[in-house]
Amino acid sequence: MKKNAIKNNILTPDEYPYEKFEKMGPEALTDAELLAIVIRTGTIGENSLSLAKKVLALSNDSNNGILALQKIPYEEMMKIKGIGKVKAIRIKCMVEFTRRMSRQSALHDLNLNSPETVADYYMEQVRHLETEHVYLILADNKNRLIKDVLLSKGTVNASLISTREIFIEALRYHAVRIFLIHNHPSGDPTPSRQDIEITKVIREASEILNIPLLDHIIIGDNTYVSLKEKGYL
């Protein structure tokens, strides 16, 4: 955008969010205006701000605003006239970039002794997933994170966890303690009977191998349940 255009207030619709950014900062921009800057340019008869609003409108969950972009496939975005493959990929990369920033920030406060900080660390990674994902968290003797391993991707309301695979991974990385994390796509982290049963099986195996299972945390939509805090461990 040319400075002369701002000075003389000769702006195209694509340039409005840029001018607002320069005058008021990024925090003053709406979700649609932020997205318009990522999109950069419009098309014939459609400016970038209008396209941004159409992309956000693809979500059935208007309450989540820009967070809804995590659940919109880029193929769906491409169905909007003016959002080609490059713009759709740019949007999805922006979403992934912010997700990684959030996780990296949470890593500094990660304390595996605290279910709350563990849930915070994995929240944005799993809360928007549409199927159950189960992660094994491997820790050293000071409860520091060694590695997390994706154990399984399940259906909407069930997942398969291999007890054998859990301890193969634990021994491979010399883990001293383990944790389990998985999401409930419904958004409700209340443990199912299956969650409780598999936790008990893994706990019993962990006691035999002297690699204790310290917690199993279920993540919902911006909320979580610790099976240890609920008395199942």
Side-chain angles (χ1 to χ4, degrees):
M1 178 173 58
K2 297 179 180 179
K3 291 185 178 179
N4 291 342
I6 296 178
K7 184 176 180 180
N8 298 319
N9 202 29
I10 304 171
L11 299 168
T12 68
D14 285 334
E15 292 173 324
Y16 295 151
Y18 289 86
E19 184 192 40
K20 186 174 178 180
F21 174 94
E22 291 187 336
K23 288 182 176 180
M24 305 173 67
E27 62 276 1
L29 272 61
T30 65
D31 289 350
E33 288 167 342
L34 285 169
L35 186 56
I37 289 178
V38 174
I39 291 173
R40 293 181 60 188
T41 59
T43 187
I44 297 174
E46 196 97 58
N47 61 61
S48 59
L49 186 56
S50 176
L51 290 176
K53 290 177 180 178
K54 286 187 175 181
V55 171
L56 291 172
L58 288 173
S59 170
N60 294 323
D61 189 357
S62 58
N63 292 327
N64 271 337
I66 206 165
L67 285 175
L69 292 174
Q70 299 193 62
K71 293 186 177 181
I72 303 173
Y74 84 96
E75 294 88 351
E76 280 295 309
M77 297 180 187
M78 288 172 58
K79 293 178 182 179
I80 297 173
K81 185 179 179 180
I83 300 291
K85 185 175 182 179
V86 171
K87 288 180 180 176
I89 290 176
R90 186 184 295 136
I91 293 169
K92 294 302 288 186
C93 285
M94 178 271 296
V95 171
E96 176 61 18
F97 186 74
T98 54
R99 186 190 68 80
R100 293 187 189 187
M101 284 182 64
S102 175
R103 192 174 185 213
Q104 188 65 32
S105 177
L107 179 60
H108 294 293
D109 299 320
L110 180 60
N111 175 5
L112 293 180
N113 293 311
S114 165
E116 182 178 2
T117 62
V118 174
D120 285 345
Y121 181 64
Y122 287 95
M123 185 66 67
E124 291 307 313
Q125 180 177 346
V126 304
R127 65 182 281 215
H128 303 287
L129 299 174
E130 296 182 0
T131 59
E132 286 195 11
H133 285 52
V134 181
Y135 290 87
L136 171 66
I137 314 304
L138 305 173
D140 64 15
N141 60 355
K142 294 184 179 180
N143 265 13
R144 294 175 300 198
L145 177 66
I146 297 174
K147 185 180 178 62
D148 53 40
V149 179
L150 177 61
L151 290 176
S152 71
K153 298 179 183 179
T155 63
V156 170
N157 54 18
S159 57
L160 300 174
I161 305 175
S162 167
T163 304
R164 179 174 179 272
E165 183 182 352
I166 286 173
F167 292 101
I168 287 175
E169 294 292 341
L171 293 168
R172 176 182 298 168
Y173 292 100
H174 307 288
V176 177
R177 302 175 178 91
I178 60 173
F179 300 75
L180 289 174
I181 295 272
H182 86 274
N183 64 304
H184 278 180
S186 67
D188 179 2
T190 303
S192 66
R193 184 174 66 179
Q194 183 185 31
D195 293 334
I196 295 169
E197 289 175 353
I198 192 66
T199 300
K200 290 179 178 178
V201 169
I202 296 169
R203 183 198 63 196
E204 291 170 0
S206 75
E207 290 172 351
I208 294 171
L209 293 171
N210 198 27
I211 305 176
L213 173 66
L214 296 190
D215 206 345
H216 183 175
I217 297 173
I218 303 172
I219 292 179
D221 188 7
N222 212 28
T223 185
Y224 74 94
V225 165
S226 160
L227 268 68
K228 180 179 181 179
E229 290 182 339
K230 290 293 184 181
Y232 296 112
L233 278 171

